[in-house]
Amino acid sequence: MNENGLTEGDFTEHAEPFRLFSEWLADATKSEPNDPNGVALATVDTDGMPDVRMVLLKGFDEQGFVFYTNFESAKGREILATMKAAMCFHWKSLRRQVRIRGPVEIVSDAEADAYFATRPRGSRIGAWASKQSRPLESRFALEKAVAEYTARHAIGEIPRPAHWSGFRIVPQAIEFWHDRPFRLHDRIVFSRTADGGWEKSRLYP
Ligand SMILES: Cc1cc2nc3c(=O)[nH]c(=O)nc-3n(C[C@H](O)[C@H](O)[C@H](O)COP(=O)(O)O)c2cc1C
């Protein structure tokens, strides 16, 4: 990788997108002021109306890109209805963008349990206390719910709520974008082929 963009060598060297993604995320981890794994997540509702919000990427490999949420939230309901989503990273410090889209799978219970167990105790209580995306009558009502669940789980492990788990976007396409002078940016898109491999092409900026 050259600071001025994606070289012809970068283009020919990568036969699949995951190593390049891993390198870019590692670069962002060094240069972003916070949340290098913060990513815009786009969904559509049942009328086809788009919706977008930030989430944190919590894992990725050849299987796909994983984030966690409340399945009864707006995004949870939208994904469960369509089983499709898209993501867009923008790392300002690097002037780079990565776009990912594809069908969505639900992570296994074991995978969700393992991740839930790594969360701070307060976040695990929060997953129980927050009816994410539903109307909240007052901040006090949320604090009361937190106090109730804290008391209920005062002793022992806090189990993962059934409505809280992870989604995995199985990428059909991943596009890497790197800023270049005069808006003549580099774009490389990897698209999944019928045999499960990848084909890549450059796009006009
Ligand atoms: C940087 C950042 C990271 C976030 N990460 C998550 C996340 O991983 N999971 C989540 O459910 N919400 C996360 N949120 C909150 C969501 O953006 C959103 O407010 C919430 O999930 C409700 O969205 P919905 O009503 O579209 O479901 C994050 C917000 C920000 C700004």
Side-chain angles (χ1 to χ4, degrees):
M1 174 75 53
N2 146 337
E3 274 194 0
N4 298 321
L6 286 158
T7 63
E8 218 46 47
D10 291 321
F11 182 65
T12 46
E13 182 194 334
H14 292 276
E16 51 75 29
F18 299 102
R19 190 160 63 86
L20 186 55
F21 180 80
S22 164
E23 288 170 13
W24 279 27
L25 184 60
D27 291 344
T29 302
K30 287 182 220 134
S31 64
E32 287 290 296
N34 56 49
D35 295 336
N37 58 336
V39 58
L41 171 78
T43 53
V44 287
D45 70 14
T46 45
D47 294 329
M49 179 71 86
D51 211 351
V52 64
R53 82 292 284 157
M54 300 300 291
V55 295
L56 295 176
L57 182 78
K58 287 295 174 181
F60 76 93
D61 59 17
E62 297 74 23
Q63 309 307 311
F65 294 80
V66 175
F67 63 93
Y68 289 88
T69 194
N70 184 317
F71 277 30
E72 294 168 1
S73 65
K75 80 181 89 46
R77 284 181 279 110
E78 286 161 2
I79 292 175
L80 291 170
T82 61
M83 296 313 275
K84 289 177 190 148
M87 282 179 159
C88 183
F89 292 87
H90 176 217
W91 295 299
K92 289 187 183 217
S93 59
L94 300 171
R95 298 178 182 277
R96 289 178 188 163
Q97 168 179 251
V98 175
R99 295 163 65 178
I100 296 163
R101 62 202 300 248
V104 175
E105 297 174 352
I106 297 172
V107 305
S108 70
D109 284 346
E111 192 174 346
D113 287 343
Y115 172 64
F116 191 73
T118 68
R119 302 182 87 213
R121 196 171 180 85
S123 305
R124 283 179 278 157
I125 294 285
W128 281 100
S130 173
K131 298 186 183 128
Q132 194 178 54
S133 309
R134 279 154 288 179
L136 171 62
E137 62 181 88
S138 64
R139 184 78 202 177
F140 176 71
L142 176 61
E143 285 163 9
K144 191 160 157 261
V146 169
E148 282 167 10
Y149 282 106
T150 303
R152 201 178 296 182
H153 296 293
I155 300 165
E157 280 310 301
I158 303 168
R160 177 176 59 87
H163 60 260
W164 191 99
S165 186
F167 288 117
R168 172 179 285 108
I169 300 187
V170 180
Q172 273 180 350
I174 305 185
E175 183 196 313
F176 295 84
W177 180 104
H178 193 296
D179 177 83
R180 297 290 295 269
F182 307 115
R183 309 261 178 260
L184 298 176
H185 314 298
D186 280 324
R187 297 177 66 188
I188 294 179
V189 61
F190 290 78
S191 305
R192 191 81 85 168
T193 55
D195 64 1
W198 292 97
E199 65 184 15
K200 64 187 164 176
S201 49
R202 277 188 182 270
L203 302 179
Y204 278 96

